Amino acid sequence: MKRTRARIEAVDPVMRRRRRTLAVTALAALALTACGSEQPDSQRERVKSTSAVSARKDAAFHRMLDEVARECPPPGTKREVPPAPPGGKPTAPVEAPPGATVEPPPGGAVEPIAPTAGPEAELDARDWCAGVQHEQRVAEALLRLKRPDPAQVGKALNGLGYIDERIHGLKRSGAATKFVIDLRDKGGRLCLDGTANGELTEVEACVAPADGPFHIANLPRRL
């Protein structure tokens, strides 16, 4: 009996260590299972949060487009082309030579004249009207930049409400920074083509494909 009791006493500590090891292993497995079940939930929450932020930015962008074009004709309105003189073709507006001073008409400012030829003539009345407004607001913001590099230009465009998803080709080209903004909205084809280079900053309306992805290479007009 003494030998048997001694054998049991010798085995018992080993069994206790095994039980503790099994218990720790079981707890670790439960912890891993819990983490595994929570990870997809956290990922889904992050995706939802990112989607919500993107949706808010997109909604704000479209509100800005509506605000800029608030005094423009409804979408799809065709532009009126000046009538052709008897026996002739429509005449394009005569532009003042470089450096000339344009005197405003009595009682009002100079009204921009819509082009009758070229890619811009493909824009409807709303796009053409909105394009003039976008050109002015973007050019004024970029002319205030002391260093119009891609970072500063992108920041200025964001400050005006143009979101990164709609800004394309923002890069340095020589001493200038180039970019194109996709302004297609409500079936329109408007885009904005810009070059920021201090006093030589130029911003012009361009024409994008009516639908499909926006690619700079597909634009009919580039600076």
Side-chain angles (χ1 to χ4, degrees):
M1 294 300 292
K2 291 182 179 180
R3 292 181 180 177
T4 302
R5 187 180 299 112
R7 189 180 299 113
I8 292 174
E9 291 175 352
V11 173
D12 186 63
V14 176
M15 295 300 295
R16 284 199 296 269
R17 284 197 297 272
R18 287 181 179 176
R19 292 192 189 100
R20 285 197 297 270
T21 302
L22 291 173
V24 171
T25 303
L27 289 173
L30 288 173
L32 289 174
T33 303
C35 291
S37 62
E38 291 178 359
Q39 187 174 5
D41 292 337
S42 62
Q43 290 177 347
R44 282 193 292 268
E45 290 300 323
R46 285 196 295 270
V47 170
K48 288 181 180 179
S49 177
T50 302
S51 299
V53 171
S54 178
R56 287 195 296 270
K57 288 182 178 179
D58 191 64
F61 172 73
H62 285 283
R63 286 196 299 271
M64 180 271 292
L65 294 183
D66 289 339
E67 177 64 21
V68 171
R70 68 183 183 280
E71 297 182 1
C72 295
T77 303
K78 293 184 178 181
R79 291 192 295 106
E80 295 182 2
V81 179
K89 297 181 180 180
T91 57
V94 178
E95 296 183 358
T101 301
V102 179
E103 293 294 335
V110 175
E111 291 292 333
I113 301 175
T116 57
E120 287 175 322
E122 300 178 29
L123 298 175
D124 63 22
R126 177 186 175 86
D127 275 350
W128 183 84
C129 170
V132 173
Q133 310 303 321
H134 286 291
E135 289 175 10
Q136 182 176 356
R137 70 198 302 264
V138 170
E140 288 178 354
L142 297 184
L143 284 171
R144 289 195 292 265
L145 297 179
K146 295 181 179 179
R147 187 184 60 184
D149 57 19
Q152 292 297 319
V153 170
K155 184 177 179 180
L157 295 178
N158 290 157
L160 293 174
Y162 303 101
I163 56 178
D164 290 337
E165 291 78 4
R166 292 296 193 108
I167 302 172
H168 302 268
L170 179 60
K171 63 180 180 180
R172 173 76 73 177
S173 178
T177 294
K178 288 181 171 289
F179 62 91
V180 178
I181 308 176
D182 178 8
L183 297 174
R184 293 179 297 177
D185 183 47
K186 297 180 172 63
R189 301 179 59 186
L190 178 64
C191 58
L192 213 62
D193 200 344
T195 300
N197 187 18
E199 295 181 356
L200 299 178
T201 292
E202 296 180 353
V203 183
E204 295 182 345
C206 56
V207 184
D211 50 27
F214 187 92
H215 295 297
I216 295 178
N218 296 338
L219 298 182
R221 179 182 184 183
R222 288 286 294 142
L223 288 178

